[in-house]
Amino acid sequence: MIPSRSSLSGWPLLGAIAIAVLAMTGLAIAAQADLVDGVHSAVRATARSSFALFLLAFTASAFAVLLPGTAGAALLRERRYLGLGFAFSHLVHAVLIYAYGRLAPEFWPGRSGLANLPGTIGYAFLLAMTITSFKPVARRMSATAWKRLHTAGMWVLAAVFALSYFKRIPMSPAYALPFALLTAAVAIRVLGKFAQANKRRQRDARAPTAALRSP
């Protein structure tokens, strides 16, 4: 996945993700003769890049437990920057949706407030998670509150992605693939939590024995 030691880590990794997302957006728009079609194509492209980055951030801690070693540790180490990369990609996605709505006025009247509600909730959590990913803000929160926010936010975003893809499967069977990937990611995350809890129980069980053996 990600090398254990690489110059492309931390903030340079985030910068590379941002450049890649912007380049992809520009290419998607330029590839279409019509600007409206180009922006629509870029909306779909950034939806895919956001989903890919989300999956990496969502499963990072689980892979670190299930696949202990260089790759899992590196993925976990870069989770913050992958998450910020996801936030950047989804910000570009939101800007493109707004631009598409301006270029194609029929877009917004065709969507109800109820249809927009899951995405709005998802963006609200994403904004809160992004702001609290920076240390000056995170220090003002308790560790418990920070963890609860980010855990809840990841599950809310997973639910938003799941709903978005699932309801589109009748329109195109191709949407079954990202829905299946998300289902697999949820299973991996749950398995990772069970494995982590099992390791903690084993460690706690060994602790009294070690204490008895100590002089």
Side-chain angles (χ1 to χ4, degrees), residues 1-184:
M1 293 181 184
I2 298 173
S4 58
R5 293 182 180 179
S6 171
S7 59
L8 194 62
S9 63
W11 293 109
L13 174 61
L14 176 59
I17 291 172
I19 291 171
V21 169
L22 292 175
M24 177 191 67
T25 301
L27 289 172
I29 294 174
Q32 301 293 332
D34 183 72
L35 179 59
V36 177
D37 291 338
V39 172
H40 193 205
S41 178
V43 168
R44 293 196 296 269
T46 50
R48 297 186 188 105
S49 63
S50 293
F51 181 61
L53 290 164
F54 171 78
L55 288 183
L56 289 173
F58 185 69
T59 57
S61 59
F63 275 124
V65 176
L66 298 172
L67 300 174
T70 301
L75 185 59
L76 181 61
R77 186 183 64 242
E78 304 300 337
R79 178 176 58 177
R80 176 191 180 197
Y81 304 98
L82 291 168
L84 289 173
F86 159 60
F88 178 82
S89 177
H90 229 42
L91 171 62
V92 175
H93 180 67
V95 171
L96 289 167
I97 289 176
Y98 175 77
Y100 182 71
R102 294 296 299 269
L103 293 169
E106 69 278 5
F107 173 69
W108 289 117
R111 294 182 60 86
S112 65
L114 184 62
N116 291 326
L117 182 61
T120 302
I121 294 174
Y123 268 108
F125 269 97
L126 181 57
L127 177 61
M129 293 165 67
T130 301
I131 293 173
T132 55
S133 290
F134 293 94
K135 291 180 180 179
V137 180
R139 291 194 190 102
R140 296 177 177 272
M141 301 177 64
S142 69
T144 300
W146 189 94
K147 185 175 182 180
R148 285 177 178 172
L149 170 63
H150 284 253
T151 300
M154 292 300 277
W155 283 109
V156 166
L157 289 166
V160 171
F161 274 118
L163 176 63
S164 176
Y165 288 125
F166 182 75
K167 70 181 183 181
R168 287 176 170 81
I169 292 176
M171 295 182 283
S172 173
Y175 286 105
L177 176 59
F179 182 76
L181 289 173
L182 182 57
T183 302

